[in-house]
């Protein structure tokens, strides 16, 4: 697992190892305009830096923006860490395939074009009423936070927190497993919803909450 240097813990997150990692990723754009990060072990701050540099309009022109960011077979963060993407405007589709993400993914207030977690292991996905997504795809993924003493082993509940969020495209949860449940009450979903083969477990209500 990649460690977090003292300089980053003090808030200096734009230089050193993170800058080198992000620059290396930039050079990996293929001839179709895709960035692929494969078989890497990244800290939560690594992922934040990569997305801010390569998916946020604050840091690049539309001519230089990749068509998508694809993470394959990566381990991202550790239990107790948070990938803080709050309030970011991410105009590049994000795709995670066969990844392990022990860190909490915090998308509260973020705007995403499309985000996919396919056949991946996650702990908790945080969204909110001011979070706007294009398509949200969680097919085949498993949220491994376990229920414990009224909360979860990660101190938050439930696994998928999307109360009041807006999804402008489709929501796909095919084969998704959330061991600490899902809460999507008051969510606005403009496209289709597919929960075939999904399993949600939670005390007090039947797994997934809808209104």
């Amino acid at each position: 697992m990649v460690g977090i240097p003292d300089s980053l813990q003090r808030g200096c997150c734009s230089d050193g190892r993170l800058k080198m990692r992000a620059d290396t990723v930039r050079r990996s754009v293929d001839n179709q305009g895709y960035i692929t990060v494969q078989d890497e072990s990244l800290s939560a701050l690594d992922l934040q830096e990569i997305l801010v540099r390569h998916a946020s309009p604050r840091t690049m022109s539309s001519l230089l923006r990749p068509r998508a960011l694809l993470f394959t077979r990566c381990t991202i963060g550790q239990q107790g860490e948070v990938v803080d993407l709050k309030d970011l405007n991410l105009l590049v589709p994000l795709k995670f395939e066969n990844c392990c993400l022990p860190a909490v993914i915090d998308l509260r207030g973020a705007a995403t074009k499309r985000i996919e977690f396919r056949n991946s292991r996650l702990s908790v996905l945080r969204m909110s009423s001011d979070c706007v997504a294009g398509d949200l795809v969680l097919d085949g993924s498993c949220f491994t936070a376990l229920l414990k003493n009224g909360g979860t082993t990660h101190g938050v509940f439930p696994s998928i927190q999307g109360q009041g969020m807006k999804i402008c495209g489709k929501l796909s949860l095919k084969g998704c497993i959330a061991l600490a449940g899902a809460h999507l009450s008051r969510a606005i979903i403009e496209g289709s919803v597919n929960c075939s083969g999904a399993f949600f477990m939670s005390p007090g209500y039947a797994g997934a909450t809808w209104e």
Side-chain angles (χ1 to χ4, degrees):
M1 185 67 64
V2 178
I4 303 176
D6 292 339
S7 61
L8 296 181
Q9 295 176 357
R10 293 193 297 268
C12 302
C13 58
S14 61
D15 58 359
R17 180 181 53 80
L18 281 185
K19 183 176 185 298
M20 290 187 290
R21 178 69 62 89
D23 289 345
T24 300
V25 167
R26 184 62 197 151
R27 290 194 296 270
S28 70
V29 179
D30 64 24
N31 56 12
Q32 294 183 335
Y34 289 83
I35 288 179
T36 299
V37 182
Q38 183 172 307
D39 299 316
E40 285 276 5
S41 182
L42 308 172
S43 73
L45 286 175
D46 281 328
L47 181 59
Q48 289 169 210
E49 179 77 0
I50 289 169
L51 297 187
V52 167
R53 283 174 172 264
H54 306 304
S56 172
R58 293 182 303 176
T59 57
M60 69 172 62
S61 71
S62 59
L63 294 177
L64 296 176
R65 193 177 299 135
R67 292 181 61 188
L69 268 68
L70 171 61
F71 297 83
T72 303
R73 299 189 303 274
C74 291
T75 299
I76 299 171
Q78 304 180 54
Q79 183 173 327
E81 286 188 321
V82 176
V83 178
D84 186 358
L85 304 177
K86 292 194 301 291
D87 302 318
L88 278 182
N89 186 8
L90 301 171
L91 295 184
V92 175
L94 307 179
K95 301 182 180 184
F96 299 84
E97 297 180 355
N98 301 299
C99 290
C100 180
L101 299 98
V104 172
I105 308 298
D106 193 342
L107 287 165
R108 289 176 295 176
T112 65
K113 186 172 184 179
R114 177 183 176 91
I115 186 164
E116 301 179 11
F117 296 93
R118 294 183 182 271
N119 303 312
S120 294
R121 295 174 63 88
L122 301 94
S123 60
V124 173
L125 183 61
R126 286 180 184 163
M127 297 166 286
S128 62
S129 59
D130 52 355
C131 177
V132 179
D135 295 330
L136 177 60
V137 179
L138 302 173
D139 293 354
S141 290
C142 179
F143 289 79
T144 59
L146 299 175
L147 299 171
K148 181 180 180 181
N149 298 327
T152 74
T153 52
H154 295 68
V156 287
F157 172 79
S159 297
I160 303 173
Q161 304 173 12
Q163 302 94 309
M165 72 172 295
K166 182 177 180 180
I167 298 176
C168 299
K170 69 179 181 181
L171 172 63
S172 184
L173 300 166
K174 292 186 294 184
C176 178
I177 298 173
L179 298 180
H183 195 172
L184 294 165
S185 63
R186 303 183 305 281
I188 299 172
I189 303 170
E190 297 183 353
S192 61
V193 178
N194 190 332
C195 295
S196 61
F199 176 80
F200 305 97
M201 182 172 65
S202 175
Y205 53 83
T209 298
W210 309 82
E211 292 182 1

